[in-house]
Amino acid sequence: MNAERYSAVTESTTSPENPDNKHLTPFVTEDPKGADVYSQPQSRGDLVNALNEAELRRVIDTIPALAWSSHSDGSVDFVNQRWTGYTGLSPEESYGWGWKAAIHPDDLPALAGRWEAISDVNTARECEVRLRRSDGVFRWFSLRREPLHDESRALVRWYGTAADIEDRKQTETLRAAENRTLEMIANGANLSDVLNNLCAAIDDQASATSFVCLMDRDGAQLSPIAGPHVPPAFARTITTWPIGPNRGSCGTAAFTKERVIIPDISDDPRWPDDARGLALNHGVCAAWSEPLISTSGEVLGTFCISYSEPRTPGGSDLELIEAAGHIARIAIERQRSQEALGTALDEIKNSEAKLRKVIDAIPTLAWCNLPDGPNEFLNKRWHDFTGLSPEESHGWGWQAAFHPEDLPRLMDKWRELLATGEPGEIEARLRRHDGVFRWFLIRVEPLRDETGKIIRWYGTSTDIEILKQTEEKLREDERELRRITDAIPQTIVVLDPSGAPLYANQATLDYTGLTAEDVLAPRFRERIFHPDDLERLRDERKAALARGLPFEVEQRALRKDGRYRWFLIRYNPYRDEQGTVVRWYATGTDIDDRVRAEERTRNENLALREQIDRESMFEDIVGSSDALRKVLRQVAKVAPSDSTVLILGETGTGKELIARAIHKRSNRAERAFIGVNCAAIPPSLIASELFGHEKGAFTGATQRRLGRFESANGGTIFLDEVGDLPPEIQIALLRALQEHEIERVGNNKSIPVDVRVLAATHRDLNTLVADGKFRQDLLYRLNVVPIQMPSLRERAYDIPLLVEYFIGRFGKKAGKKFKTIDKKIIKLFEAYQWPGNIRELQNVIERAVILSDGDTFSVDETWLRREASRFAGQTVALNSALLLQEKEMIEAALAECRGRVSGPTGAAAKLGLPTRTLDSKIKRLGIDKYRFKVSNTG
């Protein structure tokens, strides 16, 4: 944006043609302090908040318009992203006078002449031109530029925007074409001139070549009647053109009475091979034809739009060809009606009786009135329909056939036509002979003599009751649909073809807490759907809407209480008679419970797979000693309850096996059993492992993850080595035990959980509490039912059974079978102290199975000799390392708390220690807590 400082202000400018048009007009200002500001001059309102250049760029790039700035001579020096995205021109290609490449060649001279001729540089200017889109298609835009002056009112630069008015221009073009067509018909122009004028307007709007063909009297061939830009040689070759299947776009449309779209003539089987080269040689590469069908179902002809390159129509293209076909049909029908009336008027000169016969034969209600208004003649169909005799309807008696509510309006219109002498039409209800009223479209035309004096009025009345009923039924259907959808306890939203919401039923409003006006407001979807789901499904939804086929998505919707719930949203299109999607109906089904159950099942399965992959220390509880029997009796008693159990014992005594036994005998046996080794998880990750985390909660958290507590919801979680939990995790665990709630890392919302907690440790938790390393209140919560696991030394009676069990297990795995066991081995095992308990016994037997030869099981006695002095020399070093680590943790906490020890923000609370315990440790480790107060001041 060069070196200048930019600011922008939204200025609402309106015009009769575009009352809702908004332009964003940027202004350059410079703050006295040199800061970038987003403002407007004092005469246009209060100054807005300051924005830096980068922020301003983003604002300009996101405004719903093409924006640019230029020097005072008109050379461009900035374009926003919407300009480059629409035109396909890079900023460099657009700078200077390069922007002219995007202007339609026919519009460029007028644009340049208009803007270069501006002498008054104090006011804004607007101009309508066609801009080329990146795919080569031109669309109409309204260009507006605003001048910027310095303090001396000298022109400094121009700022401008471009707003897309293609739809408006198309509507204006069609309206003007229809008005011009009706005007030409009223002025007596021949049908060819009328249709040529219509084709010329369509060609200018669509940048294409259009033409109209009429059906011959036999209904077998078409002949072009209008098409001012159709090459004469091509027009001659298609005169005449047979109708039938696969006879090009026009022949096929006339045959099937349906619109035919041929995007590429070169390979479309509906274009006959004998005429394919002919069309391509004349530059006709794509053709779209609309059949012109009269109200009686007769094919009058076809309206065709052709292009010089292959092309598939969009929604606006289909609307254009349909509207153009409608206008052409009106012109042909009116021309034929006038021809019929003209023929009748010519014949009246020869015989009034003959004219009456002709009018009676016309398949419509026809009549003739005198110049001043009273009726002179009504045809037989009129009398048959109304049941009124010629005498009863003569003069002004025909008024008795019209509905009393419509008669005043009808007479006012009739008097207006009598006064102006102009043709006209009006809708009114006519009473049938059985008393039933039906809607009719009444058209009236004056007949003039050679001097221009009106000598008769001729008119027709066309039954439009079905059309009226259809319109009313559509309105009633819509009202009824709204009443029905409001009564359905399922969320329903009605969308337009692009996917923008039009209506939401009461269930949707009740769920979201929004109003019907909120549904129509911008960013409705952003207000109710989870941002992650919007980003994930944006392209998928857009593509599905473009396909026009039913589809469904799963995403989270925000409830009025602030919680998101999963919904299955099914989209179903509603099409009109032409097969065009006019509405989308989206229904939402709450599947939150199902999704969470599936997610929980996936996590349970994951935990189960992890557990299966990890070789279990035991496959069953083996032994019959009194010590083991005592434990099993405790398991049988505590298992049916939901009480927390603390399993104590040395390493390798089978604490996890006992925990599994409790779970299998509990009421939660059908749900997950999740085991967590607290000592094996790094302190920085244990919170995420236990309680889960949200996406972006920390580096590497690329997606949301459920923790072990949520995975175990409804089941059991086993916290092994619970004595090794960090202090901050102990607090979170205490809350989970007390409140049955957890919080994911990165989220402060509480999540209820129903989990039975089993904990185990080989450490003395009372000693840890005394040392300030374990919370006393947490110990109380865990130690509801303690179970003390006996060591293998206390279960010497079980050693022979365990040996036999492990030999069978590992022998089967190794493919070996032992017939005898050396009795000295059993005695050796019973005499050994087994510091590693059953785990050590398991390892010794597995090693012996692998190394033993023959069918006799034997063990090397040296494997069981204690090396008491092996680690003695390392004790001091280990103690020193632990003390050093403890000192560093305390100093880090003091530094963070600025030397404060007690209180909720003190180091003691942060470390989870009593204040007195922390004070004694500070003294024992020689830490100067006052230096942390000094280092954090000043």
Side-chain angles (χ1 to χ4, degrees):
M1 299 177 71
N2 300 329
E4 300 175 71
R5 303 186 177 276
Y6 283 75
S7 62
V9 64
T10 301
E11 177 185 355
S12 177
T13 59
T14 60
S15 63
E17 297 78 16
N18 190 11
D20 296 325
N21 189 27
K22 290 180 180 285
H23 294 274
L24 187 69
T25 308
F27 293 90
V28 177
T29 63
E30 183 166 341
D31 189 87
K33 299 180 180 180
D36 291 328
V37 293
Y38 179 80
S39 64
Q40 69 181 62
Q42 289 290 339
S43 61
R44 301 193 180 190
D46 298 331
L47 295 178
V48 298
N49 296 329
L51 294 173
N52 57 37
E53 182 174 334
E55 291 173 328
L56 180 57
R57 280 180 179 270
R58 286 194 294 271
V59 171
I60 296 178
D61 284 337
T62 55
I63 62 173
L66 282 57
W68 73 88
S69 68
S70 66
H71 298 291
S72 58
D73 62 355
S75 59
V76 170
D77 61 355
F78 167 75
V79 292
N80 70 344
Q81 288 184 1
R82 288 186 182 267
W83 167 275
T84 58
Y86 176 84
T87 64
L89 297 176
S90 66
E92 293 73 15
E93 292 172 327
S94 304
Y95 290 162
W97 302 100
W99 56 271
K100 291 185 176 181
I103 308 296
H104 194 288
D106 294 345
D107 300 338
L108 190 58
L111 174 66
R114 176 175 173 80
W115 281 6
E116 291 173 1
I118 293 176
S119 58
D120 183 4
V121 297
N122 293 318
T123 58
R125 288 293 185 268
E126 292 187 12
C127 188
E128 295 180 355
V129 299
R130 287 166 287 184
L131 288 181
R132 187 189 63 214
R133 201 167 57 194
S134 57
D135 58 1
V137 175
F138 284 92
R139 292 181 65 86
W140 281 98
F141 278 75
S142 174
L143 305 186
R144 177 185 175 89
R145 68 174 186 178
E146 292 270 358
L148 177 71
H149 307 91
D150 58 16
E151 296 179 352
S152 62
R153 302 304 295 168
L155 178 64
V156 176
R157 60 196 310 99
W158 294 94
Y159 289 95
T161 57
D164 192 321
I165 59 170
E166 176 69 18
D167 295 340
R168 192 198 78 192
K169 291 291 287 188
Q170 179 170 306
T171 302
E172 292 176 350
T173 299
L174 291 173
R175 186 182 297 115
E178 182 175 11
N179 292 338
R180 177 58 179 162
T181 299
L182 297 177
E183 179 183 351
M184 293 180 69
I185 293 173
N187 291 335
N190 62 58
L191 183 61
S192 178
D193 291 341
V194 173
L195 295 178
N196 271 319
N197 179 77
L198 170 63
C199 291
I202 299 302
D203 292 351
D204 183 61
Q205 171 65 27
S207 299
T209 301
S210 62
F211 57 91
V212 179
C213 294
L214 293 182
M215 183 75 77
D216 65 3
R217 295 184 179 274
D218 297 331
Q221 293 180 323
L222 296 169
S223 296
I225 185 176
H229 301 129
V230 176
F234 181 67
R236 287 193 297 271
T237 58
I238 62 175
T239 307
T240 55
W241 186 268
I243 71 169
N246 301 325
R247 289 304 303 172
S249 60
C250 287
T252 306
F255 180 77
T256 62
K257 295 185 179 182
E258 295 180 352
R259 182 186 302 156
V260 174
I261 303 298
I262 299 183
D264 190 350
I265 290 176
S266 65
D267 59 2
D268 197 297
R270 290 172 293 179
W271 199 276
D273 293 334
D274 58 352
R276 197 184 307 278
L278 176 69
L280 296 174
N281 291 338
H282 285 90
V284 181
C285 296
W288 315 335
S289 295
E290 178 84 6
L292 307 179
I293 303 175
S294 70
T295 53
S296 62
E298 176 190 2
V299 177
L300 305 176
T302 59
F303 179 85
C304 179
I305 297 180
S306 66
Y307 289 87
S308 59
E309 57 185 19
R311 180 171 176 184
T312 300
S316 59
D317 296 324
L318 296 177
E319 293 176 1
L320 177 64
I321 190 173
E322 180 179 1
H326 175 70
I327 297 173
R329 179 182 60 79
I330 292 176
I332 295 172
E333 281 194 312
R334 290 200 174 189
Q335 182 72 15
R336 290 193 175 186
S337 296
Q338 285 190 343
E339 289 175 355
L341 288 175
T343 301
L345 291 174
D346 290 338
E347 292 181 356
I348 200 174
K349 297 177 181 179
N350 302 320
S351 172
E352 182 177 351
K354 185 178 180 180
L355 174 61
R356 293 200 175 199
K357 290 181 181 180
V358 171
I359 295 178
D360 284 339
I362 295 176
T364 187
L365 278 60
W367 39 270
C368 171
N369 283 10
L370 296 175
D372 57 349
N375 176 258
E376 181 184 26
F377 165 74
L378 292 157
N379 73 343
K380 185 175 183 300
R381 288 181 181 270
W382 197 95
H383 292 297
D384 291 343
F385 180 86
T386 62
L388 295 177
S389 66
E391 293 74 22
E392 292 173 321
S393 54
H394 189 71
W396 297 99
W398 53 269
Q399 298 180 66
F402 285 92
H403 197 288
E405 296 178 0
D406 300 338
L407 189 59
R409 178 169 51 88
L410 176 65
M411 293 305 299
D412 289 343
K413 181 66 176 180
W414 183 224
R415 283 189 287 268
E416 177 187 335
L417 296 178
L418 291 174
T420 61
E422 298 293 329
E425 61 182 39
I426 189 174
E427 295 178 356
R429 285 167 288 183
L430 192 63
R431 187 188 63 213
R432 199 165 58 190
H433 57 83
D434 57 0
V436 176
F437 285 94
R438 294 179 64 88
W439 281 97
F440 276 78
L441 174 63
I442 303 168
R443 295 191 177 101
V444 60
E445 292 277 350
L447 175 66
R448 302 176 186 271
D449 60 15
E450 297 177 353
T451 64
K453 181 181 178 181
I454 296 177
I455 56 176
R456 291 287 188 281
W457 288 91
Y458 288 93
T460 60
S461 300
T462 304
D463 191 324
I464 58 171
E465 177 68 20
I466 295 178
L467 176 62
K468 282 288 189 178
Q469 290 177 355
T470 301
E471 293 175 350
E472 179 58 30
K473 186 176 185 302
L474 287 175
R475 288 191 291 268
E476 180 57 31
D477 287 348
E478 183 175 355
R479 290 191 292 267
E480 180 63 20
L481 177 62
R482 294 201 174 194
R483 288 193 292 268
I484 292 174
T485 55
D486 281 342
I488 295 175
Q490 186 180 31
T491 57
I492 300 175
V493 178
V494 182
L495 314 166
D496 69 11
S498 68
L502 300 174
Y503 162 76
N505 73 337
Q506 192 60 43
T508 303
L509 302 181
D510 292 342
Y511 176 85
T512 61
L514 301 178
T515 64
E517 291 73 20
D518 294 330
V519 175
L520 301 177
R523 302 183 64 81
F524 167 70
R525 285 174 49 78
E526 286 80 354
R527 291 183 63 179
I528 66 170
F529 291 122
H530 197 287
D532 292 348
D533 297 338
L534 286 175
E535 181 179 355
R536 173 173 56 86
L537 298 172
R538 180 178 292 109
D539 294 338
E540 177 184 340
R541 179 177 181 271
K542 183 178 180 181
L545 290 173
R547 287 193 296 269
L549 299 174
F551 66 99
E552 60 184 38
V553 296
E554 292 183 1
Q555 60 188 125
R556 288 161 289 181
L558 184 64
R559 199 165 59 186
K560 58 186 176 183
D561 61 0
R563 290 182 177 271
Y564 282 99
R565 293 185 63 84
W566 281 97
F567 276 76
L568 172 63
I569 302 176
R570 293 187 174 94
Y571 291 81
N572 287 287
Y574 175 75
R575 303 176 184 276
D576 59 16
E577 295 178 354
Q578 290 73 38
T580 304
V581 175
V582 295
R583 291 287 187 275
W584 282 95
Y585 292 93
T587 59
T589 304
D590 191 321
I591 58 170
D592 193 74
D593 294 339
R594 191 203 78 190
V595 171
R596 296 189 183 278
E598 291 175 351
E599 189 169 316
R600 183 170 58 249
T601 301
R602 284 194 298 270
N603 282 277
E604 290 176 358
N605 291 340
L606 175 62
L608 181 59
R609 288 195 299 270
E610 291 175 353
Q611 187 63 33
I612 292 174
D613 292 339
R614 185 177 74 249
E615 183 177 3
S616 176
M617 183 173 65
F618 302 105
E619 293 184 3
D620 201 353
I621 300 175
V622 178
S624 59
S625 64
D626 292 339
L628 182 59
R629 288 178 183 275
K630 178 181 178 181
V631 171
L632 295 180
R633 285 195 296 270
Q634 290 179 294
V635 169
K637 292 179 180 179
V638 76
S641 70
D642 273 345
S643 299
T644 303
V645 179
L646 178 61
I647 306 171
L648 305 170
E650 298 177 9
T651 300
T653 54
K655 295 186 289 294
E656 182 174 352
L657 191 60
I658 292 300
R660 289 183 177 277
I662 294 173
H663 172 71
K664 289 179 181 179
R665 289 161 178 78
S666 71
N667 297 328
R668 301 171 180 262
E670 298 300 323
R671 304 305 293 270
F673 176 87
I674 306 296
V676 183
N677 190 329
C678 301
I681 303 173
S684 59
L685 297 178
I686 192 165
S688 171
E689 187 70 23
L690 290 178
F691 308 119
H693 63 255
E694 299 289 347
K695 178 181 179 182
F698 51 83
T699 303
T702 58
Q703 62 182 3
R704 192 186 70 177
R705 181 180 185 276
L706 296 186
R708 296 304 181 97
F709 266 88
E710 284 187 84
S711 300
N713 196 21
T716 305
I717 188 169
F718 174 56
L719 303 178
D720 198 7
E721 301 300 347
V722 70
D724 293 322
L725 283 177
E728 60 274 14
I729 304 302
Q730 294 180 28
I731 298 174
L733 177 58
L734 178 62
R735 182 188 178 193
L737 291 170
Q738 290 178 334
E739 308 296 338
H740 301 289
E741 292 181 346
I742 63 168
E743 290 182 2
R744 294 194 195 112
V745 177
N747 192 336
N748 58 4
K749 291 185 178 180
S750 297
I751 301 173
V753 291
D754 175 22
V755 179
R756 183 181 189 178
V757 177
L758 306 179
T761 182
H762 72 283
R763 306 181 67 178
D764 186 345
L765 295 183
N766 288 314
T767 301
L768 294 178
V769 169
D771 292 340
K773 296 180 180 179
F774 200 82
R775 296 182 64 92
Q776 189 173 37
D777 47 3
L778 177 58
L779 175 58
Y780 292 154
R781 283 287 178 179
L782 293 175
N783 198 28
V784 177
V785 180
I787 295 179
Q788 181 68 46
M789 289 298 297
S791 66
L792 189 54
R793 297 184 301 277
E794 301 171 277
R795 295 176 54 195
Y797 182 80
D798 294 330
I799 289 178
L801 292 175
L802 290 168
V803 170
E804 183 178 352
Y805 171 75
F806 285 130
I807 289 176
R809 173 183 173 185
F810 294 120
K812 182 179 180 181
K813 184 176 180 181
K816 294 181 179 183
K817 189 172 183 180
F818 298 97
K819 295 182 179 179
T820 60
I821 301 175
D822 191 343
K823 294 181 178 181
K824 291 188 297 184
I825 297 301
I826 298 298
K827 292 181 180 181
L828 181 64
F829 282 174
E830 290 176 343
Y832 184 58
Q833 294 300 305
W834 298 108
N837 292 290
I838 299 176
R839 186 179 293 117
E840 184 181 2
L841 174 63
Q842 172 187 331
N843 294 339
V844 169
I845 294 177
E846 184 177 10
R847 187 192 316 170
V849 168
I850 294 172
L851 299 180
S852 293
D853 296 323
D855 56 2
T856 300
F857 177 79
S858 61
V859 174
D860 188 342
E861 297 182 13
T862 61
W863 296 350
L864 303 181
R865 291 177 182 172
R866 294 292 306 274
E867 298 181 18
S869 62
R870 180 177 176 183
F871 301 100
Q874 300 181 16
T875 303
V876 177
L878 178 60
N879 288 336
S880 298
L882 291 175
L883 291 174
L884 179 60
Q885 184 179 5
E886 184 178 25
K887 182 177 181 180
E888 289 176 350
M889 290 179 63
I890 293 174
E891 288 180 340
L894 287 170
E896 186 174 346
C897 299
R898 298 187 178 183
R900 185 180 181 86
V901 176
S902 60
T905 60
K910 181 172 181 61
L911 295 173
L913 298 175
T915 303
R916 293 183 179 179
T917 302
L918 181 57
D919 279 331
S920 65
K921 287 181 179 291
I922 290 173
K923 293 177 182 179
R924 179 163 53 86
L925 296 173
I927 300 173
D928 182 11
K929 62 183 179 182
Y930 298 101
R931 66 187 179 91
F932 296 100
K933 295 184 177 181
V934 176
S935 61
N936 287 280
T937 59

